[in-house]
């Protein structure tokens, strides 16, 4: 499944390349590399691999629906935006690209399969990409099309002159790159249908209703005892989430899970959770205390002194804009927890969980996956502020700052660049 690309939008996803240098002997290796880097086989997509010499680098994937791109001007605008995203890999000196069609024609008869399915739109896109990528210093070496269960070289002058042209797509499964990455533990899975998240509950459980009553009383008291009790609630909530982010999984008791969810109603707590998942709880609290969104006492409870550098880092998290690489393992634990809690959530709590999951996908560079989650969130709760903000970011085709740099980007293979 995919989110349709609006006429003037390119929704990008740029995971990092695999750390060890990888070379491709043919198109099957290129497609294997894309699938393992993304973690799934793309559909209705244009994917490009940046090249440094003969070494494969970062992968950029954007939605591609020829039905929304009709004229030369449309193709040029699309290619210009695509080239701008790929050019953020400053080490690259060239690229190769692959068009992936959705699997709606796999049952075509043998006569159709033997016919080259590349059309005028594909050739226009090839010409536009060649021009725009050359202008940013990334000459396009080859453009391939995956359709009808086969691999096609776009703009091949003669079928016999292009190695691999018309070869079965099943060659990807037996490629050297695919085999080597499987041996290293990489897995390619089908992309989830829709948001990939479970449905939310229809109403609050008894445990969640109890936890929400407690949370809604935070900040209402005026006495010193009330403030001390509020601080105690915050410290307990942060410590509980820290265990989840450290990989201990969700607590078994419904009451404890309800406490985790209820705190998400407080924007300052929720934003601190994002920062804690991205880096460490101590950095998050230090930054929150410095900019004044959480009390200094909460920071000191975890032996974290307020510091300006952490305040700057904290402020960069929502837009994934820091130069410091995030902790992708902790972020994955956050996404897993949101998925696991959603079936017990309702109302604004469910909206918060969906938005956190969408933010994770967007920060990873998977704008289309984030868009599908946000579509569900905006349908259920169109006025939820974080959903509106993230929806605007995704609709504009903004690429997360982390996804734009090899040193900070996520990869489905869980490998890092040097």
């Amino acid at each position: 499944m995919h989110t349709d690309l609006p006429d003037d939008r390119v929704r990008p996803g740029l995971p990092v390349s695999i750390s060890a240098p990888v070379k491709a002997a043919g198109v099957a290796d290129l497609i294997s590399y894309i699938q393992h880097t993304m973690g799934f086989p793309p559909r209705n997509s244009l994917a490009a691999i940046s090249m440094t010499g003969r070494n494969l680098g970062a992968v950029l994937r954007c939605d591609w629906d020829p039905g929304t791109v009709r004229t030369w001007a449309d193709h040029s605008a699309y290619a210009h935006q695509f080239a701008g995203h790929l050019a953020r890999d400053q080490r690259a000196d060239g690229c190769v690209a692959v068009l992936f069609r959705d699997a709606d024609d796999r049952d075509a008869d043998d006569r159709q399969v033997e016919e080259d399915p590349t059309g005028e739109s594909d050739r226009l896109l090839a010409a536009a990409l060649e021009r725009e990528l050359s202008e940013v210093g990334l000459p396009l070496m080859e453009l391939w099309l995956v359709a009808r269960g086969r691999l096609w070289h776009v703009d091949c002058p003669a079928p016999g002159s292009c190695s691999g042209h018309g070869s079965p797509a099943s060659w990807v499964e037996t490629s050297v790159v695919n085999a080597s990455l499987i041996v290293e533990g990489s897995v390619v899975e089908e992309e989830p249908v829709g948001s990939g998240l479970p449905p939310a509950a229809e109403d609050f459980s008894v445990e969640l209703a109890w936890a929400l009553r407690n949370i809604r009383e935070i900040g209402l008291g005026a006495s010193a005892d009330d403030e001390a009790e509020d601080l105690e609630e915050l410290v307990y909530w942060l410590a509980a989430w820290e265990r989840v982010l450290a990989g201990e999984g969700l607590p078994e008791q419904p009451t404890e899970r309800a406490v985790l969810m209820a705190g998400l109603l407080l924007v300052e707590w929720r934003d601190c959770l994002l920062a804690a998942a991205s880096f460490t709880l101590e950095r998050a609290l230090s930054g929150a205390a410095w900019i004044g969104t959480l009390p200094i006492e909460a920071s000191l409870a975890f032996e974290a002194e307020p510091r300006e550098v952490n305040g700057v880092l904290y402020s960069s998290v929502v837009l994934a804009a820091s130069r410091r690489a995030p902790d992708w393992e902790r972020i994955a634990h956050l996404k897993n927890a949101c998925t696991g809690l959603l079936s017990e959530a309702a109302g604004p709590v469910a909206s918060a969980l969906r938005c956190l999951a969408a933010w994770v996908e967007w920060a990873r560079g998977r704008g289309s996956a984030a868009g599908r989650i946000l579509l569900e969130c905006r349908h259920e709760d169109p006025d939820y502020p974080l959903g509106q903000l993230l929806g605007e970011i995704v609709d504009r085709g903004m690429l997360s700052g982390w996804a734009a740099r090899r040193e900070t980007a996520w990869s489905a293979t869980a490998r890092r660049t040097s």
Side-chain angles (χ1 to χ4, degrees), residues 94 101 133 152 154 167 242 406 408:
R101 294 261 177 86
L133 288 165
W152 310 92
V154 177
S167 58
E242 176 60 20
R406 288 193 187 196
T408 57

Side-chain angles (χ1 to χ4, degrees), residues 18-38:
I18 296 166
S19 56
V22 177
K23 294 181 174 65
V27 61
D29 285 333
L30 297 175
I31 295 170
S32 292
Y33 184 82
I34 291 170
Q35 292 182 352
H36 280 275
T37 306
M38 296 298 300

Side-chain angles (χ1 to χ4, degrees), residues 121-262:
S121 178
D122 302 319
R123 287 184 282 274
L124 284 175
L125 179 62
L129 285 171
E130 185 174 1
R131 186 187 69 177
E132 296 294 338
L133 288 165
S134 293
E135 289 185 359
V136 297
L138 297 174
L140 180 63
M141 301 174 188
E142 289 185 342
L143 175 63
W144 287 83
L145 169 67
V146 180
R148 298 182 180 176
R150 290 183 178 270
L151 314 176
W152 310 92
H153 192 295
V154 177
D155 219 14
C156 183
S161 65
C162 302
S163 177
H165 182 69
S167 58
S170 58
W171 282 13
V172 174
E173 299 173 5
T174 57
S175 72
V176 173
V177 168
N178 185 56
S180 63
L181 293 179
I182 288 175
V183 167
E184 293 182 29
S186 181
V187 177
V188 176
E189 300 175 335
E190 285 296 321
E191 193 171 16
V193 175
S195 69
L197 299 177
E202 294 185 1
D203 202 356
F204 300 126
S205 65
V206 173
E207 294 83 4
L208 184 53
W210 166 82
L212 289 173
R213 282 195 298 271
N214 288 343
I215 285 296
R216 289 180 175 127
E217 294 175 0
I218 298 291
L220 297 181
S223 69
D225 288 342
D226 291 330
E227 292 180 0
E229 188 174 335
D230 291 349
L231 177 62
E232 185 179 344
E233 292 278 357
L234 171 57
V235 170
Y236 180 86
W237 187 80
L238 290 169
W241 265 110
E242 176 60 20
R243 290 190 290 273
V244 174
L245 298 177
E248 294 184 17
L250 292 171
E252 294 183 4
Q253 295 298 321
T255 302
E256 294 179 17
R257 294 198 298 272
V259 169
L260 291 176
M261 292 187 281

Side-chain angles (χ1 to χ4, degrees), residues 47 95 100 110 116 120 138 145 195 224 247 274 301 308 327 362 385:
C95 67
F100 294 89
D110 292 340
D116 186 340
E120 183 64 19
L138 297 174
L145 169 67
S195 69
L274 274 186
E308 182 179 6
D327 189 325
W362 175 77

